[in-house]
Amino acid sequence: MEINLYLLLALLAALLVIGYLLAKLHRVRDQLAFIKDALTDIKNGNMNRRVLARESDLTKQICYDINEIAMSSQSRLIQQRQSEQAYKRLMTSLSHDVKTPLASLVGYLEAVESKMVTGAEQEEYIRVATEKAYHLKDFVTALFEWVKLDAGEQIFHFERSDLNELTRNIMTDWVPILENHELTYDIEIPETEYITRVDSTAYTRILNNLLQNILTHSAASQVFLTVTETEQQAKIMVGDNGKGISASDLPHIFERMYQCDHSRSAKGNGLGLSIAKELVGVHKGTITAESVPGTGTTFIIILPKVL
């Protein structure tokens, strides 16, 4: 009698286990069907699709992984679309920045070639055409450099250098240029050595771009550069007493092709500050700008001593 009772209890337990397993299998089957539908939906481009799962589901980790893949793909898709839009804006801007001066250059040269102008006027046309040709050359050079930076194809050579001596050498070349533009200058660079790893060509380009930006856009009468250092970082400040930058333009000045003169009639190509920012970033540093309209602008570069 007792044996029959034990057998009955064992049978009931087995039936319960079988029922539980069947329920689990049914849930897994439903989940797999749901996962299949979700994967088909994601494959067809619906990156917003997610697979819901209970904590007790055997397929929960698969669902979590699918959701993570979908979110990652969605993020990449958004970045790709933003990049495509940015490049469309870049191409539109390039077409203007190249086509307009090129058409003007051709017009001047055609006037000279067809003898429409002679004598002193012809000489002036040739001078203007030469100036426009150099402007186009500078623009193409800057654009090529920016494209290499953006594509990660620029090769850098970091070496231990005295940052103060390097900065002095750069400013020595700039002094006659500043004087020719009737700009006064105040340069403060410590006499002590500050040895750090730096790509001297890239660092030179950073300062050149900032100083050229001042010459081109600031309408300043004075330029200053100061270098201060700690054991952890160097701080380079380049500024002027010019017309400054408006609060609405200031957050965008390091964007490629951005020009504060929205009529685009001013000189410059909108690439200099963007390139400077990229090169500072290569040195693991930061660059910011402070400006008060009518008072001047200051660019602040922070470079870590150890890259």
Side-chain angles (χ1 to χ4, degrees), residues 187-258:
I187 302 171
E188 297 182 14
I189 303 172
E191 294 296 331
T192 56
E193 284 189 341
Y194 191 78
I195 304 298
T196 183
R197 284 178 56 80
V198 65
D199 182 302
S200 59
T201 301
Y203 180 72
T204 302
R205 185 60 186 242
I206 292 167
L207 294 189
N208 285 349
N209 284 9
L210 295 182
L211 292 165
Q212 186 60 51
N213 184 76
I214 291 174
L215 289 186
T216 304
H217 301 291
S218 72
S221 61
Q222 184 178 17
V223 175
F224 70 85
L225 179 142
T226 62
V227 180
T228 56
E229 297 141 350
T230 68
E231 292 184 1
Q232 290 77 34
Q233 63 186 27
K235 181 178 182 181
I236 304 100
M237 300 176 66
V238 181
D240 62 72
N241 67 342
K243 62 184 180 181
I245 302 169
S246 69
S248 60
D249 286 320
L250 194 59
H252 306 288
I253 60 173
F254 294 107
E255 297 175 5
R256 59 189 177 191
M257 307 301 295
Y258 188 85

Side-chain angles (χ1 to χ4, degrees), residues 32-86:
L32 290 175
F34 188 66
I35 290 172
K36 181 181 178 181
D37 291 340
L39 288 173
T40 301
D41 207 14
I42 292 171
K43 181 180 178 181
N44 291 333
N46 182 12
M47 297 300 172
N48 292 315
R49 183 66 184 270
R50 299 292 181 266
V51 184
L52 301 179
R54 299 172 184 171
E55 187 64 29
S56 59
D57 286 339
L58 296 175
T59 59
K60 68 176 183 179
Q61 189 58 51
I62 296 175
C63 296
Y64 294 160
D65 290 343
I66 290 173
N67 290 340
E68 185 175 348
I69 292 171
M71 287 187 290
S72 177
S73 299
Q74 185 179 41
S75 177
R76 286 196 298 270
L77 181 61
I78 292 173
Q79 291 177 354
Q80 180 182 350
R81 289 174 178 172
Q82 290 175 339
S83 179
E84 289 174 353
Q85 292 174 355

Side-chain angles (χ1 to χ4, degrees), residues 86-100:
Y87 273 98
K88 286 180 181 179
R89 291 194 297 270
L90 176 62
M91 290 301 106
T92 300
S93 181
L94 285 176
S95 66
H96 180 281
D97 289 333
V98 173
K99 184 178 180 180
T100 301

Side-chain angles (χ1 to χ4, degrees), residues 295-307:
T295 300
T297 302
T298 301
F299 293 96
I300 304 166
I301 302 169
I302 303 294
L303 296 180
K305 187 169 186 178
V306 180
L307 294 180

